[in-house]
Amino acid sequence: MKTAFRSAICATLAIFSRSSLNPTHHSHSPILFHRNRRAALFPAKPSLFTSMASSDAPLSPTIHVLEKQFEEFRHQLDDSGSLRDRIRSVSIEIESATRLMHSSLMLVHQSRPLPEVLEKATGQIDALRGLFSKLAEIMRECPGQYYRYHGDWRSETQAVVSVLAFMHYLETESLLLHAEAEEKLGLNPSEFGLDTEDYLTGICFMSNDLPRYVVNRVTAGDYDCPRKVLAFLTDLHAAFRMLNLRNDFLRKKFDGMKYDLRKVEEVHYDVKIRGLATDAESKGDGEKS
Amino acid sequence: MKTAFRSAICATLAIFSRSSLNPTHHSHSPILFHRNRRAALFPAKPSLFTSMASSDAPLSPTIHVLEKQFEEFRHQLDDSGSLRDRIRSVSIEIESATRLMHSSLMLVHQSRPLPEVLEKATGQIDALRGLFSKLAEIMRECPGQYYRYHGDWRSETQAVVSVLAFMHYLETESLLLHAEAEEKLGLNPSEFGLDTEDYLTGICFMSNDLPRYVVNRVTAGDYDCPRKVLAFLTDLHAAFRMLNLRNDFLRKKFDGMKYDLRKVEEVHYDVKIRGLATDAESKGDGEKS
Amino acid sequence: MKTAFRSAICATLAIFSRSSLNPTHHSHSPILFHRNRRAALFPAKPSLFTSMASSDAPLSPTIHVLEKQFEEFRHQLDDSGSLRDRIRSVSIEIESATRLMHSSLMLVHQSRPLPEVLEKATGQIDALRGLFSKLAEIMRECPGQYYRYHGDWRSETQAVVSVLAFMHYLETESLLLHAEAEEKLGLNPSEFGLDTEDYLTGICFMSNDLPRYVVNRVTAGDYDCPRKVLAFLTDLHAAFRMLNLRNDFLRKKFDGMKYDLRKVEEVHYDVKIRGLATDAESKGDGEKS
Amino acid sequence: MKTAFRSAICATLAIFSRSSLNPTHHSHSPILFHRNRRAALFPAKPSLFTSMASSDAPLSPTIHVLEKQFEEFRHQLDDSGSLRDRIRSVSIEIESATRLMHSSLMLVHQSRPLPEVLEKATGQIDALRGLFSKLAEIMRECPGQYYRYHGDWRSETQAVVSVLAFMHYLETESLLLHAEAEEKLGLNPSEFGLDTEDYLTGICFMSNDLPRYVVNRVTAGDYDCPRKVLAFLTDLHAAFRMLNLRNDFLRKKFDGMKYDLRKVEEVHYDVKIRGLATDAESKGDGEKS
C-alpha cells in the first residue's frame, strides 16, 4: 500500500510543476507556498484526525496525504470564495449605478427635454467603465475563468446593456451595437468581453421600455414617435428572429418583445385612425406603399 | 450618425484581428468567414427588415449593420449550440458507463469475492478515459470556456468520482486522492482537469454507500469491517470540516455525510457491545502499527 | 372561391369512404350517419351563425361547410368523451377491487395464517378479470387507440400488478412474470395486453411492501424470512438494473426500490448479528460462502 | 413450484406466436431473436443474479426465467426509446420550419404585398409534407401506437395548423378545414391523420393573430378588414360553441378566442364610429350577395 501512496503523492506534486488553465489548479503556486509554510507548523498543531489518534500508533502516511490534500482544498476554496466576494461587491456597485441611470432616464416619460434626461445617465458611464475595469482586473488573476464567475455579474450586466441601449435609442433612434456597448464600457473583448447572450438579453429588456415611452410621447403631442419606434422595434424583432434561440432564458425574454411590438402597433393605430399623424402620414404612407 | 456606425463597424472588425479568451468572441474567425460569404449573397436575398425596406429608398446603413451583427450572432449561437449537443452526448455515455460500473460494484453487498466485484468496473475505466479525452478535445476547440459548459458534465463527473473512490476504498481501504482520480481518468489538469468541488461532491456521494457496505459485511460475518470503515469515514469527515464550505450544494452533500458516519458508528457499536469485534480489535491495532 | 369550397367538401367526404386506424377518423361511419340524420333537420333549426344572418343574403357556402365540419367534430368529441366516461367508471371499479385485495393482504403483517390472508384477495381476481375484459371490449370499439386512453386505466393497472405480485410472492416466493400477470387477468396480449412499463411500475410498488413484511415476520419469530426476501429483492433489483430506464416515472419508482433493499438488508443484519438466524444461518452462510 | 414456472414459461413463449397490436408486445419477433442469440451466450456470461448464483448450486429456474424476461424488456425499452428519439428529431425540424413560416407571415403586419408575405411560407409546405411523411413512416413500424407517441409531435403539429390556417385565411378569407389541412400536409388519415383536437387547438392559436392583423390593416388604411375578420371570427367562435369541450387544454385555448373576438369588435367599432367604414359596408354587402 505504501507504494500506492507514494505514487499518489508524486502525482499530487507533479501538478505543481505545470501552470494550468483549469481554475481549480490555477491558484496552485500560492497554495503550494501556503502548504509549505503550514507544513512547518504541523507538528505544533494537534491532528484533526482523531480516529487513529485513539490508537497509540503514529499517524499513518494516509493521514498526512489526506490532510495535505484538504489543506490545499481549503486554500483553493477560500481563494475562490474571497474572489467571489470581491466580484459581488463590484456587481452591487454596478447595479446601483445602473439604477441611478435608469431612474433618471425615466424622466423621458414626463417628456422632459432630452439633454436633461440624458445628462445624469451619461454622467454615470464613467463610473460603469471603472467598475467593469475592476471586474476585468479581478478576472485577470484567474485567466480562463470568465465563465466560472459569470453568474455573479450576469444580470447586472444585462441591466447595464438595457440602459445604455435605451439612451442610445433616444440619442440616435438606432440600436446600440454589441461592439458599441463594449466600447462605451471600455471593455477589451480579447480579455473581458460582453457576453453575446447578455447583450441580447439586455436589448430585450430595453424593448420593454418602449411601449410606455411611445404612450407618453403621444400624450405629449409627438404623434410621429409611434411610427418611428414601430419601425425600429419591427426591425429589431426581425433581427432576433434570425437567431435559433434554444428554449432558455433568452428565448423567454425575446417572446416578451412580441408584446411590446403589439402594444406599440396599437398606439400607432390609435394615432393613425384619429388622423393625428397627418404630417407623419405622408411620410408613413410613403414608407408603407 | 454615419460616424457612429463607421466607428461601430471598425470596433466590430477590430475584434477579428485579435484572438480572444472570451468565448463569445472566440469563434470569430469561422464566423468572419460566414459573414463574408453571406455578404456576397446580401443583395440577392430580400431583406428581413421590412419597415424601411418597404420604402423604395435603399436600405439605410443601420439595417446593414444590424443584419450583419445578428447574422454573426446567429453563427455564434449555432456554434455554441452544436458544441453543447456534442458535450451532452458524451456526458450521456459517461453516465451510462458509470451506471454499469456502479451496478457491478453493488455485488459487494452480496459479499461476492472482491476480484469479481471489481472486474467489470475496472473494465470500464478505459471507456471513461476515452470519453473524458473526448470532452477535453471538444474543450480544446474553445480555450477558456471550461466553466461555460461545465454544467453539462458536472453531475456525471461527480458520479464518476464517487464510483472510482468506492472502488479505490475497496482496493486500498484509503481515499482516492484528487490527483489519483485525474490520473485514472487520464486528465491533464493543465488543459482539462477535475474541478475540486466536483471531486469533493463525488466523495460525499461515495460515503453514502458505506453504511450499506458495513451492514452487509457484518451480515456476512466480517466483524472487523465496521471499525476500519469508521476510522476511514471519521478521518474523511474531519478532513471536510477543515473546509469553509459556503451554503451551497457541496455543503448540503457534506451535511449528509454526518448521517453515514452515525450509521457506521451504530453498526460498530452493535458489533462491539456483542463482543464480536474483540479479536478483530487487536488485529486492527496490529494493522495500524 | 366556390371551387375552393367544393374541393374542401370533396376532401371532407372522401374521408368517409376509407376505414381508418386513426381514432379521430375511426368513428366516422356512425358520425356520417348522424350527419345525414341531422342534415335533414337543418332547415328547421335557426343557424348558429349570426354575423351573416345580419345580412339579408342567404348563408354562404362557407357557413355550411364550416357547420358540417364542427357538427362532425361535436359527434367525435361526444363519442370519445362518453367512451372516456365508460373507461373511467371501469377504472374506478378496478381501483376499489384492488383496494379490497390490498387491505386483506395487509393481514399478513399481523401474521395471520397465509390461507386466510390470501383467501379474500384471491376471491377478487375473477372480478378484476371481468373488469379488464370490459376494458378490452370498450377498446375493441376503437382499434389502435389503446394508448389514446391508456392514461385512464394506467395507475389502476399498476396497483393491480403490485397486489397480484405480492400475492404471488407470498404463495411462491418468486416474481410474478408479465405473462403470468396477463394470464391471471385474462388479458389477450394480441388485443389488449399489459403495458410493460405498467407491469414494471407495479413491481416497484410491490417491493415497497417488503420491508414492512420482513419486519413483521421477524417480530412473529420467522427469522429466516429476511434472508429469503433479501435474496428475492436482490435478484429483482439486479434485473431492473439491466434496463436502460430514461429519466421518467418508472426510473424514480425503481430508485425507490434501493431503499427497500437497504431496509431489508438491515433487518437481515439485525437477525444475523443476534445469532437468531442460526438454523437459517447454515443455509444462509452456505449461500454466502 | 416447478409447475408454476413451467406454466410461466409457456405463457411467455405463447406470446411470440401471435402478432400484436399492443406495442409492448409488437416488437417481439426481433426481441425473440435477441433472446435466442443471447440465450446461447448465457452460460458464458456470469449471471447478474448473485444472491443465489453465489451458492454452488446451479441457477434455479427462477433466475433464468427472470433474466430472460428482463432481457426482453431491455430490448423493448431500448427499441421504444430509440423510436422516440427519431420522432423527436423530426418534431424539432417541424418546429423550426414552422417558426420560419410564422416569421415570414408576420410581414403581413407591415402590410407588405400578400404574395411576398406568402411566398416564403408557401415554400416551406413541401418541407413540412416531407417531415410528416417521415413521422408516418416511423409510425408505420409500430401500428396502433399513434397515440403512444402522440405527445412527441402534438404541440408542433398544433403550431403547424395555426400557421397553415392563417395563410389560408389570408388567401381565401375562410377557415382551413381539417381535411384541407391533412391534404396540405399530405397526410393519409387512414394511416397517420391529423388529430381533431390538435386541429382545433391550432385554429385557436391562429385566432390569436387576428386582432394584431386587424389593427395593422387599419393602420395601413384598409378600413374594411375589421368587418370581414369580425364576420369570420364570429362564425368560428359560434362553431366552437357547438362543441362540448371538457375542462381541458382545448377549452382554455377556446376561452382565449373570446378575447380575440372582443378586440376585433373594438377595432371594428373604432372604424364604424368614425364613419371610416361606411363605403366598405355596402361593398361588403355586395360581396356577400
Side-chain angles (χ1 to χ4, degrees), chain C residues 184-204:
Chain C
K184 275 190 197 295
L185 296 172
L187 300 180
N188 170 354
S190 67
E191 71 158 26
F192 187 100
L194 172 58
D195 178 79
T196 302
E197 301 195 18
D198 290 347
Y199 165 79
L200 291 169
T201 307
I203 297 302
C204 291

Side-chain angles (χ1 to χ4, degrees), chain C:
Chain C
M1 246 163 74
K2 274 196 125 41
T3 55
F5 292 126
R6 183 167 300 107
S7 71
I9 296 163
C10 297
T12 311
L13 296 179
I15 296 165
F16 301 132
S17 58
R18 340 190 188 85
S19 82
S20 165
L21 269 186
N22 178 324
T24 64
H25 289 264
H26 174 69
S27 43
H28 269 159
S29 16
I31 280 160
L32 181 53
F33 171 71
H34 293 308
R35 250 171 38 80
N36 295 346
R37 198 195 55 224
R38 292 197 75 281
L41 308 170
F42 254 22
K45 93 181 213 312
S47 170
L48 280 159
F49 300 93
T50 54
S51 62
M52 314 256 169
S54 63
S55 75
D56 308 307
L59 288 183
S60 75
T62 338
I63 304 311
H64 284 318
V65 180
L66 188 62
E67 184 149 15
K68 278 200 192 82
Q69 174 177 263
F70 277 82
E71 193 56 41
E72 184 181 313
F73 290 159
R74 188 155 76 94
H75 292 296
Q76 284 182 27
L77 294 179
D78 291 352
D79 292 350
S80 79
S82 62
L83 194 78
R84 188 151 263 145
D85 293 338
R86 285 157 61 204
I87 294 172
R88 283 198 182 131
S89 70
V90 179
S91 292
I92 288 168
E93 289 185 78
I94 290 176
E95 202 230 346
S96 67
T98 314
R99 206 183 307 105
L100 227 68
M101 292 170 78
H102 192 259
S103 58
S104 75
L105 284 179
M106 290 307 95
L107 294 179
V108 82
H109 296 304
Q110 294 113 57
S111 46
R112 296 285 191 71
L114 212 48
E116 181 191 339
V117 170
L118 296 172
E119 187 192 8
K120 266 213 192 104
T122 314
Q124 288 294 320
I125 292 183
D126 281 345
L128 284 180
R129 191 187 288 270
L131 291 165
F132 274 95
S133 80
K134 265 196 203 169
L135 277 188
E137 205 174 291
I138 296 173
M139 282 301 100
R140 218 172 284 126
E141 298 174 22
C142 42
Q145 300 190 46
Y146 179 95
Y147 280 108
R148 181 180 195 183
Y149 300 103
H150 183 198
D152 293 331
W153 63 74
R154 168 158 242 167
S155 63
E156 291 77 5
T157 303
Q158 294 166 347
V160 167
V161 170
S162 128
V163 166
L164 291 179
F166 190 48
M167 286 173 67
H168 187 82
Y169 178 77
L170 295 177
E171 291 168 331
T172 67
E173 297 189 340
S174 67
L175 179 69
L176 176 77
L177 297 176
H178 181 270
E180 291 172 305
E182 284 181 325
E183 214 180 13
K184 275 190 197 295
L185 296 172
L187 300 180
N188 170 354
S190 67
E191 71 158 26
F192 187 100
L194 172 58
D195 178 79
T196 302
E197 301 195 18
D198 290 347
Y199 165 79
L200 291 169
T201 307
I203 297 302
C204 291
F205 286 140
M206 176 269 291
S207 99
N208 301 160
D209 282 329
L210 294 177
R212 189 180 166 209
Y213 171 62
V214 163
V215 163
N216 289 314
R217 291 304 298 149
V218 167
T219 309
D222 172 357
Y223 301 127
D224 195 30
C225 178
R227 183 185 57 76
K228 289 193 224 148
V229 172
L230 181 53
F232 171 72
L233 202 48
T234 303
D235 289 343
L236 189 60
H237 193 258
F240 266 88
R241 279 201 312 265
M242 292 168 61
L243 310 175
N244 307 319
L245 300 175
R246 309 241 153 174
N247 274 333
D248 55 7
F249 183 72
L250 178 53
R251 151 142 248 113
K252 281 192 198 59
K253 290 302 139 204
F254 168 56
D255 292 341
M257 191 187 284
K258 188 177 66 222
Y259 298 102
D260 304 324
L261 185 57
R262 192 167 299 184
K263 180 66 186 156
V264 172
E265 285 172 344
E266 287 166 5
V267 177
H268 186 216
Y269 158 88
D270 286 337
V271 169
K272 285 297 285 285
I273 201 171
R274 286 171 181 72
L276 294 169
T278 39
D279 286 0
E281 201 93 43
S282 53
K283 269 212 266 92
D285 288 355
E287 274 169 3
K288 292 280 159 223
S289 58

Side-chain angles (χ1 to χ4, degrees), chain A residues 1 4-5 7-9 11-12 15 18-25 48-52 55 57-58 60 62-63 65-67 69-78 80-82 84-85 88 143-149 168 171-180 182-183 188-197 199-200 203 228 230-232 234-236 238-246 250 286-289, chain B residues 1 4-5 7-9 11-12 15 18-25 38 48-56 62-63 65-67 69-78 80-82 84-85 88 143-149 168 171-180 182-183 188-197 199-200 203 228 230-232 234-236 238-246 250 285 288-289:
Chain A
M1 246 164 70
F5 293 126
S7 70
I9 295 164
T12 312
I15 294 164
R18 338 191 189 86
S19 81
S20 165
L21 267 188
N22 178 324
T24 65
H25 290 263
L48 281 159
F49 300 93
T50 56
S51 61
M52 314 252 168
S55 75
S60 75
T62 338
I63 305 311
V65 180
L66 187 62
E67 183 149 15
Q69 174 177 265
F70 276 84
E71 194 55 42
E72 184 181 313
F73 290 158
R74 189 158 75 96
H75 292 296
Q76 284 182 26
L77 295 179
D78 291 353
S80 78
S82 62
R84 186 152 265 144
D85 292 338
R88 285 201 179 127
Q145 300 189 46
Y146 179 96
Y147 280 108
R148 182 180 195 183
Y149 300 102
H168 187 81
E171 291 167 331
T172 67
E173 296 188 340
S174 69
L175 177 70
L176 177 77
L177 296 177
H178 180 269
E180 292 172 304
E182 284 183 323
E183 213 180 15
N188 171 354
S190 68
E191 72 159 25
F192 187 100
L194 171 59
D195 177 79
T196 302
E197 301 194 19
Y199 166 78
L200 290 169
I203 297 301
K228 289 195 224 144
L230 181 54
F232 171 71
T234 303
D235 288 344
L236 189 60
F240 266 88
R241 278 201 313 265
M242 292 168 61
L243 310 175
N244 307 319
L245 300 175
R246 310 241 154 174
L250 179 51
E287 273 168 5
K288 293 279 160 222
S289 58
Chain B
M1 246 163 73
F5 291 126
S7 70
I9 295 163
T12 311
I15 294 163
R18 337 191 190 88
S19 82
S20 166
L21 272 186
N22 178 326
T24 63
H25 290 263
R38 291 197 75 281
L48 278 160
F49 302 95
T50 58
S51 59
M52 311 203 169
S54 59
S55 71
D56 308 306
T62 336
I63 304 310
V65 180
L66 187 62
E67 185 150 14
Q69 174 176 265
F70 276 83
E71 194 56 41
E72 185 179 312
F73 290 158
R74 188 158 75 95
H75 291 295
Q76 286 182 25
L77 295 179
D78 291 353
S80 79
S82 62
R84 186 151 266 145
D85 292 337
R88 283 197 182 135
Q145 300 189 46
Y146 179 96
Y147 280 108
R148 181 180 195 183
Y149 300 103
H168 187 82
E171 291 167 330
T172 67
E173 298 189 338
S174 68
L175 179 70
L176 176 77
L177 297 177
H178 180 271
E180 292 172 306
E182 284 182 324
E183 214 180 14
N188 170 356
S190 68
E191 72 158 23
F192 187 100
L194 172 59
D195 177 79
T196 302
E197 302 195 16
Y199 166 79
L200 291 168
I203 296 302
K228 290 195 222 145
L230 182 53
F232 171 72
T234 304
D235 288 345
L236 189 60
F240 266 88
R241 277 202 314 265
M242 291 168 61
L243 309 175
N244 310 318
L245 299 175
R246 311 243 154 173
L250 178 53
D285 290 354
K288 291 283 150 223
S289 54

Side-chain angles (χ1 to χ4, degrees), chain D residues 222-234:
Chain D
D222 171 0
Y223 300 125
D224 194 31
C225 178
R227 183 185 58 75
K228 291 194 221 147
V229 172
L230 182 53
F232 171 72
L233 201 50
T234 305

Side-chain angles (χ1 to χ4, degrees), chain A residues 258-272:
Chain A
K258 189 177 65 223
Y259 298 100
D260 304 324
L261 184 56
R262 191 167 299 182
K263 179 69 185 154
V264 172
E265 285 172 344
E266 287 167 6
V267 178
H268 186 214
Y269 158 87
D270 287 338
V271 170
K272 285 297 285 285

Side-chain angles (χ1 to χ4, degrees), chain B residues 123-281:
Chain B
Q124 287 295 318
I125 291 184
D126 281 345
L128 283 181
R129 194 187 286 272
L131 291 165
F132 275 96
S133 81
K134 264 196 203 170
L135 277 188
E137 206 174 290
I138 296 173
M139 283 300 101
R140 219 172 282 127
E141 297 174 22
C142 43
Q145 300 189 46
Y146 179 96
Y147 280 108
R148 181 180 195 183
Y149 300 103
H150 183 198
D152 293 331
W153 63 74
R154 170 158 240 167
S155 63
E156 290 78 6
T157 303
Q158 294 166 347
V160 167
V161 170
S162 128
V163 165
L164 291 180
F166 190 50
M167 285 173 68
H168 187 82
Y169 178 77
L170 294 177
E171 291 167 330
T172 67
E173 298 189 338
S174 68
L175 179 70
L176 176 77
L177 297 177
H178 180 271
E180 292 172 306
E182 284 182 324
E183 214 180 14
K184 273 190 197 297
L185 296 172
L187 300 180
N188 170 356
S190 68
E191 72 158 23
F192 187 100
L194 172 59
D195 177 79
T196 302
E197 302 195 16
D198 290 347
Y199 166 79
L200 291 168
T201 307
I203 296 302
C204 291
F205 286 139
M206 177 269 291
S207 98
N208 300 159
D209 281 328
L210 294 177
R212 190 182 166 203
Y213 172 62
V214 164
V215 163
N216 288 315
R217 290 304 300 149
V218 168
T219 308
D222 171 359
Y223 300 126
D224 194 31
C225 178
R227 183 185 57 75
K228 290 195 222 145
V229 172
L230 182 53
F232 171 72
L233 201 48
T234 304
D235 288 345
L236 189 60
H237 192 258
F240 266 88
R241 277 202 314 265
M242 291 168 61
L243 309 175
N244 310 318
L245 299 175
R246 311 243 154 173
N247 264 336
D248 56 5
F249 184 72
L250 178 53
R251 150 140 253 115
K252 280 192 199 61
K253 290 301 139 202
F254 169 57
D255 292 342
M257 191 187 285
K258 189 177 63 227
Y259 299 100
D260 303 324
L261 185 56
R262 185 173 307 174
K263 179 69 185 155
V264 173
E265 285 169 345
E266 287 165 5
V267 176
H268 186 217
Y269 162 88
D270 285 342
V271 171
K272 284 297 284 285
I273 203 169
R274 286 175 180 70
L276 294 168
T278 38
D279 293 356
E281 203 73 52

Side-chain angles (χ1 to χ4, degrees), chain D residues 4-20:
Chain D
F5 291 126
R6 184 168 300 105
S7 71
I9 296 164
C10 298
T12 312
L13 296 179
I15 295 165
F16 301 133
S17 57
R18 343 190 184 86
S19 81
S20 165

